[in-house]
Structures are given as C-alpha cells and as structure tokens.
C-alpha cells in the first residue's frame, strides 16, 4: 500500500468500488459533507453512480480501468466483497484502500475467514473445511447432523447453502454445491435464540467506535428486520460489542467491520461472518445515530475524528425487497407508508426488479422499540394495501422466526 497521505478534507475524492445501495448511501453522505466520490461499476445505471460525482463504467476485472480509477481518487473503499482481491491490491499499490485488500481476501473465502478467526481464539460454530467427498463423510461423522453445508465463495443472502438433516442429504447437497465453489464448509447447525450484529469503526490510528448491538431477523436467508437495540440483557449487548471490537482490533481493520453473530439457545455467542464494509444491519444509523455508518466510514477515509455511535432513539429497519413490487405490480402506496409516524423511506432507485432484490428500506423510530417495530411493520404492510396489514407478510412473529438454513431445505 502506498503511504501517501490523502489530501485534506473536503478537497478529496473518495473512490467506491461497487455501485449498489451501500455505495449510494455512502455517496449521499459524502455529498452532504462536500466530499467528492467516484464509483467504479460496470452498470451505467447503477444505484450509486446516480448520486456520485463521477462514475467510471468498467468491469471489475478491467485492470487498466482500475488503474484509471485509482488515478481519479485519493482514497478508496469497496461496498461489496465479490471482487477480485488482486484487482483491489493493484489499486492499493497506487492509493490507500480501506479496509485493506488482504482483509478482503481473508473474508471473501468462508474457510479462510473461519480459520483466521479460529486462530485468533474467536468463538465460532464448529466447522470442517470440505474439499473431497471423503472430507464430507469425515465432517458429517465429526459434527453430526443436522449441519449446514455452505460454499466457501460467492455465498450471500443465504445463497449457496443447504441444511443436512439425514445422512442421505449429504451426498445430494455435496453434489449440488461442490460445483459452485472451489471449497465447501460444513458447520454445526446452531439452535438460534437470536441473531445479532455489531458494526465497528476503526481509524488509521487504531481508535475505535462500535455501534450498539442490533438484533436481526432473516427471512429466506435475507435480512428482513433489524431491531436497534437488540432485545438482550445489557451484559450480553456489551459482550457482543466487545467481541466485535476485539476482532476489528486483532485484524487491524481500518474502516468498518460488521460482525454477524449467533446467540445460541445454549447461551453461546458465536461469530457467523464478517463484512468489511457498511452493512444492511447498520442502515438505521442514518436515522437513529448522530453519526451514520456511512459518515463514519467517510470520516475514517478522510482522516477526520470518529463520530458518536450511540443510538439516540430505538429504531427498526425493514427491508423492501423486489417481491413487494412484483406482488403489487409496481403500485406501491408510499403515501400510506409515510403516513405512519416516525417512518423514513429510503429507495435505491435500482433498475430492474426481481424477488429477493433489495430495492429500499424503511426505518421507523419511536420512544420504545416495541412501537418502532409496530410502526415499521405497519408502514411496510401499508405499501401493499390494507389487506396485507397484519397478514404477517414480513415473516415476523413473536415466536422465533425459522432460520434461513431451516428454510433452505424447502428451496433445495
Ligand atoms: P450466512 O450466509 O452464513 O450469513 O447465513 C444466512 C443465515 O442462515 C443466517 O443469518 C442464519 O439465519 C442461517 N444460518 C447460517 N448458518 C447457520 C448455522 N450454522 N446454524 C443455524 N443457522 C444458520
């Protein structure tokens, strides 16, 4: 990495690799703060390109474009993990990249990530790397069933995984997933009490600020709701924050690191996975914290002091997936949703709608978390008309929601 110090804020350009909604929200915060942004993304109409100052339209494998991109920027970050880390390393040879390409390389491969965390003594669900069918048999024998088989690469939003209940599932799942990834990993099936996450920010001087732990509810492997703060004891919330902070510190992260965790029914707090970027479970920070996760990342990239990460109000974020658009045939009632008090609407203006695609989110704030939750659910239900109110379309119930892994069996 070059040791060149970026020019001083706000006279600099932040490069963002990836043009999705995370890049868009980062670029919007940069606009507010007077910082320039340049997005690298092959899609001319991508979400972030619409709001960035510059958009370099090029493939993520175009090395010449990557060098040109570096030349247009002072400091660079990325908003998704599925890019060739060696291309990011090339950019890094020319400009500071935060978080580093070596961290990206580690996290974008599940086995490398788990082994790296295990070496640091971080609590994880038991796992075994699986390369061959013999490894698979051995892993099933060691971990027992049920277990979750995951691809080491290219898995996100619950894709690339299968739950094994019976020995007979092992071969079919192995055959189905092995061709999609250079390596697989078999994990213990964790009986989940809750899923939690913490977004940590760490600057170039090693100073850290972690956001309060939030509670995440997934539907079909995709984040559906984030409840801030998590409905756990203060001691557990502090333990989650501490665990996440210790990982960010041990890995020497500069930038943001989201640590997703499982709270098992037996009380164990286990790390599920890391994301070295702003995270969907941190979107409420735009509306419920003095410093959003996006502003925090800009502050780090621009060498400004870290901002305050406290929650100023309970908040609930509800994702708006393409399914809503498909089921309503495009006619969503945004006025009805926004008539619910305390609700903010964030749309990503994506071109092309399909089920499971993240099109936007709602964030509801209220004096209590319970009220914020009912506001978020009421606003989202109102989008598709009064009939869906209370119909449970969010997948949310007061009883534990089935995990994505449990549902995967119905899909595969
Ligand atoms: P991942 O892609 O690893 O984040 O998994 C997506 C979702 O699947 C998680 O948020 C959990 O709801 C569920 N899941 C993944 N791994 C496990 C596991 N080992 N045990 C139980 N549920 C899991």
């Amino acid at each position: 990495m070059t040791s060149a110090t970026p020019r001083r804020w706000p006279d600099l350009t932040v490069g963002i690799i990836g043009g999705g909604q995370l890049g868009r929200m980062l670029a919007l915060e940069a606009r507010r703060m007077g910082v320039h942004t340049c997005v690298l993304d092959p899609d001319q109409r991508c979400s972030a390109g619409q709001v960035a100052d510059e958009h370099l339209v090029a493939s993520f494998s175009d090395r010449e474009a990557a060098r040109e991109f570096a030349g247009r920027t002072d400091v660079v970050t990325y908003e998704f993990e599925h890019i060739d880390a060696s291309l990011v390393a090339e950019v890094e040879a020319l400009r500071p990249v935060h978080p580093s390409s070596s961290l990206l390389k580690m996290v974008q491969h599940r086995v490398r990530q788990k082994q790296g965390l295990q070496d640091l003594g971080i609590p994880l669900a038991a796992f075994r790397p699986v390369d061959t069918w013999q490894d698979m048999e051995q892993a099933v024998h060691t971990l027992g069933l049920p277990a979750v088989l995951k691809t080491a690469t290219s898995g996100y939003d619950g894709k690339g995984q299968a739950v094994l209940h019976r020995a007979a599932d092992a071969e079919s799942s192995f055959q189905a997933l092995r061709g999609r990834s250079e390596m697989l990993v078999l994990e213990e099936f964790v009986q989940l009490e809750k899923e939690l996450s913490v977004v940590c920010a760490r600057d170039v001087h090693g100073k850290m600020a972690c956001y309060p732990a939030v509670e995440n509810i997934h539907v079909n492997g995709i984040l559906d709701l984030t409840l801030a703060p998590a409905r756990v004891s203060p001691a557990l919330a502090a333990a989650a924050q501490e665990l996440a902070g210790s990982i960010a510190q041990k890995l020497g992260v500069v930038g943001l690191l989201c640590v997703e965790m499982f709270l098992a029914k037996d009380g164990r707090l286990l790390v599920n996975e890391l994301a070295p970027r702003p995270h969907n479970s941190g979107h409420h920070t735009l509306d419920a914290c003095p410093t959003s996760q996006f502003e925090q990342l800009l502050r780090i990239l621009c060498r400004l002091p870290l901002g305050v990460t406290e929650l100023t109000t309970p908040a609930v974020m509800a994702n708006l997936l393409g399914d809503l658009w498909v089921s309503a045939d495009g006619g969503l009632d945004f006025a009805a949703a926004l008539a619910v008090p305390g609700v903010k609407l964030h749309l990503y203006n994506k071109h092309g709608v399909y089920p499971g695609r993240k099109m936007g989110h709602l964030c509801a704030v209220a004096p209590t978390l319970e009220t914020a939750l009912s506001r978020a659910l009421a606003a989202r239900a109102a989008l598709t008309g009064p009939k869906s109110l209370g119909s449970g379309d969010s997948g949310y119930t007061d009883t534990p929601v089935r995990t994505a892994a449990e549902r995967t069996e119905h899909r595969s």
Side-chain angles (χ1 to χ4, degrees), residues 164-397:
L164 280 54
H165 290 278
R166 298 165 299 271
D169 299 335
E171 192 167 359
S172 55
S173 303
F174 177 81
Q175 296 300 352
L177 295 180
R178 186 64 186 87
R180 291 203 228 159
S181 173
E182 81 177 75
M183 182 86 112
L184 302 174
V185 60
L186 190 73
E187 272 178 39
E188 150 196 10
F189 184 91
V190 179
Q191 300 297 338
L192 297 175
E193 178 67 31
K194 281 182 193 303
E195 294 190 63
L196 306 177
S197 63
V198 172
V199 174
C200 294
R202 187 168 177 276
D203 73 13
V204 288
H205 308 294
K207 228 176 150 201
M208 297 216 343
C210 296
Y211 289 90
V214 297
E215 179 176 338
N216 298 319
I217 295 168
H218 294 82
V219 172
N220 294 330
I222 304 178
L223 183 65
D224 186 49
L225 298 169
T226 292
L227 281 61
R231 295 171 298 181
V232 294
S233 69
L236 191 73
Q241 235 185 5
E242 205 168 301
L243 178 59
S246 75
I247 296 170
Q249 192 164 18
K250 285 176 179 167
L251 293 176
V253 175
V254 173
L256 298 183
L257 183 75
C258 178
V259 180
E260 291 187 68
M261 295 170 231
F262 295 148
L263 175 60
K265 284 197 188 299
D266 60 14
R268 289 176 299 160
L269 187 59
L270 306 168
V271 171
N272 174 31
E273 63 181 0
L274 307 179
R277 52 166 171 79
H279 194 261
N280 196 169
S281 67
H283 289 358
H284 66 283
T285 61
L286 281 165
D287 303 310
C289 294
T291 318
S292 74
Q293 61 171 346
F294 304 101
E295 175 177 338
Q296 196 75 290
L297 177 56
L298 286 171
R299 285 173 176 242
I300 294 168
L301 296 170
C302 301
R303 306 207 177 187
L304 295 168
L306 290 175
V308 171
T309 51
E310 282 160 20
L311 273 174
T312 53
T313 170
V316 172
M317 187 286 309
N319 266 335
L320 304 179
L321 301 185
D323 312 58
L324 282 170
W325 275 253
V326 172
S327 68
D329 203 16
L332 294 176
D333 192 346
F334 291 107
L338 288 171
V340 179
V343 169
K344 288 237 180 153
L345 173 66
H346 301 254
L347 290 180
Y348 312 145
N349 201 25
K350 289 187 180 175
H351 292 275
V353 179
Y354 51 81
R357 188 168 205 203
K358 290 174 179 169
M359 304 299 293
H361 70 270
L362 293 169
C363 185
V365 298
T368 66
L369 187 62
E370 206 179 32
T371 307
L373 177 57
S374 50
R375 286 178 175 180
L377 294 177
R380 187 166 60 180
L383 284 172
T384 46
K387 264 193 299 188
S388 63
L389 266 172
S391 67
D393 75 315
S394 65
Y396 180 80
T397 62

Side-chain angles (χ1 to χ4, degrees), residues 90-175:
E90 275 192 37
V91 174
E92 201 170 39
L94 302 167
R95 292 290 180 272
V97 176
H98 301 307
S100 68
S101 65
S102 56
L103 182 71
L104 173 67
K105 189 167 181 209
M106 177 212 168
V107 302
Q108 66 188 184
H109 192 283
R110 265 189 217 276
V111 176
R112 268 202 301 266
Q113 184 184 133
K114 284 179 186 296
Q115 284 171 337
L117 288 171
Q118 195 172 48
D119 291 347
L120 295 174
I122 303 299
L124 303 168
F127 71 95
R128 288 288 178 281
V130 170
D131 185 9
T132 62
W133 173 243
Q134 280 86 342
D135 295 338
M136 181 74 189
E137 285 182 313
Q138 186 61 47
V140 170
H141 178 75
T142 314
L143 298 177
L145 294 177
V148 188
L149 186 65
K150 300 181 180 179
T151 55
T153 53
S154 319
Y156 64 96
D157 284 344
K159 293 189 179 73
Q161 23 184 302
V163 182
L164 280 54
H165 290 278
R166 298 165 299 271
D169 299 335
E171 192 167 359
S172 55
S173 303
F174 177 81
Q175 296 300 352

Side-chain angles (χ1 to χ4, degrees), residues 12-23:
L12 44 75
T13 298
V14 169
I16 306 169
I17 302 178
Q21 68 271 16
L22 301 172

